[in-house]
Amino acid sequence: MRPGGGRAVFESGNPATNAIELTKRRQTVSLTKQGAATGNLRVNLSWRMRTSDIGGYTRRGGLLRNPGSLFKPEIVQAQGPAVVKIDLDLACLYELKDGTKGVVQPLGNFLGDINSPPYVKLSGDDRFGGTSGETIYINLDHRDAFKRLLIFVYIYDGTPAFDRTHAVVTLYPSSGPRLEIGLDERAPQARSCAVLLIENVKGELVVRREVRYVYGFQAELDRLYGWGLQWGPGTKEKV
């Protein structure tokens, strides 16, 4: 705690990992009070295709334990573990103080710009869950231009199962410990997740954990947070 009470300031992270995990019990961190409200804030999404949690079906239990199996075709278990194929995308809805609103995302190739508005840039599109993942850079040297930034993740293609992707969103400030938010909650059929909100509150940049799962895509997140953009269908080029 700060001397004399008040809101907690996290001056150091987990000694083992030098990371602060944002959870339901610890939802907010002030980048300003951390001395990390300058330079480039790096926001990384890492994930990977995960072996299926559902094992192969066998009939060793017999018809008494599985009477319906008499009318079902035999399911042949594949050699080796099944793999959940999925494509997660990292994105950012932005609102600047001058009223400018928009999105930075792989879909539509809206990659943004780091040195001019919106001062937010996406590094690229990882479609295979590689080790580097996807990264958004936010130029906090222009922090006075920001009103709010919503970092979100959506499942562009594949099984809607966030809890089976090992997805983690990590913030790397210019100084101090990194911030981690795991997307490991069970949210069956959810296609998108509002992960965190960065707000300029009277000149103070505050990061707040959201982790709100929705069953639609950008338009539903827009309605949830009142962004007011117009959305249409879009696709990616095949690789």
Side-chain angles (χ1 to χ4, degrees), residues 73-139:
E74 183 79 34
I75 298 177
V76 179
Q77 184 172 3
Q79 297 298 317
V83 174
V84 176
K85 293 184 178 180
I86 197 166
D87 179 11
L88 295 183
D89 280 350
L90 178 67
C92 175
L93 278 166
Y94 60 84
E95 181 177 2
L96 305 184
K97 284 189 176 180
D98 66 3
T100 302
K101 299 178 182 180
V103 66
V104 172
Q105 63 178 18
L107 192 61
N109 204 37
F110 293 109
L111 301 183
D113 195 298
I114 194 67
N115 294 314
S116 60
Y119 307 112
V120 178
K121 183 172 178 59
L122 179 67
S123 63
D125 181 15
D126 172 23
R127 303 194 186 186
F128 305 103
T131 55
S132 60
E134 295 184 4
T135 301
I136 284 177
Y137 295 91
I138 302 171
N139 188 345

Side-chain angles (χ1 to χ4, degrees), residues 20-205:
I20 294 171
E21 184 180 3
L22 297 185
T23 65
K24 291 180 179 179
R25 302 183 68 177
R26 177 188 287 181
Q27 294 185 339
T28 63
V29 168
S30 169
L31 293 178
T32 302
K33 292 180 179 179
Q34 286 279 105
T38 59
N40 286 340
L41 173 65
R42 183 159 55 99
V43 183
N44 176 259
L45 166 67
S46 62
W47 56 277
R48 66 179 183 269
M49 296 181 186
R50 176 177 172 179
T51 56
S52 175
D53 295 325
I54 304 174
Y57 173 82
T58 65
R59 291 188 175 177
R60 286 184 296 177
L63 295 182
L64 291 179
R65 295 184 61 185
N66 299 287
S69 64
L70 179 64
F71 305 103
K72 296 180 181 179
E74 183 79 34
I75 298 177
V76 179
Q77 184 172 3
Q79 297 298 317
V83 174
V84 176
K85 293 184 178 180
I86 197 166
D87 179 11
L88 295 183
D89 280 350
L90 178 67
C92 175
L93 278 166
Y94 60 84
E95 181 177 2
L96 305 184
K97 284 189 176 180
D98 66 3
T100 302
K101 299 178 182 180
V103 66
V104 172
Q105 63 178 18
L107 192 61
N109 204 37
F110 293 109
L111 301 183
D113 195 298
I114 194 67
N115 294 314
S116 60
Y119 307 112
V120 178
K121 183 172 178 59
L122 179 67
S123 63
D125 181 15
D126 172 23
R127 303 194 186 186
F128 305 103
T131 55
S132 60
E134 295 184 4
T135 301
I136 284 177
Y137 295 91
I138 302 171
N139 188 345
L140 297 186
D141 289 338
H142 293 274
R143 58 192 175 278
D144 292 338
F146 296 129
K147 181 177 181 180
R148 57 176 179 160
L149 305 170
L150 179 69
I151 301 295
F152 65 97
V153 174
Y154 59 93
I155 299 175
Y156 174 77
D157 189 28
T159 306
F162 276 100
D163 59 311
R164 291 162 60 185
T165 63
H166 295 285
V168 177
V169 172
T170 306
L171 279 67
Y172 296 88
S174 58
S175 63
R178 66 181 186 269
L179 311 175
E180 293 183 349
I181 301 175
L183 306 185
D184 54 4
E185 297 177 20
R186 285 188 57 83
Q189 304 306 311
R191 306 292 309 194
S192 306
C193 179
V195 181
L196 63 95
L197 194 64
I198 302 174
E199 292 184 288
N200 190 330
V201 183
K202 297 180 179 179
E204 180 182 358
L205 284 185

Side-chain angles (χ1 to χ4, degrees), residues 212-234:
R212 300 175 70 176
Y213 295 93
V214 301
Y215 299 99
F217 291 96
Q218 290 88 331
E220 189 169 345
L221 287 171
D222 185 310
R223 287 192 295 270
L224 186 63
Y225 287 89
W227 234 267
L229 300 177
Q230 297 295 319
W231 299 93

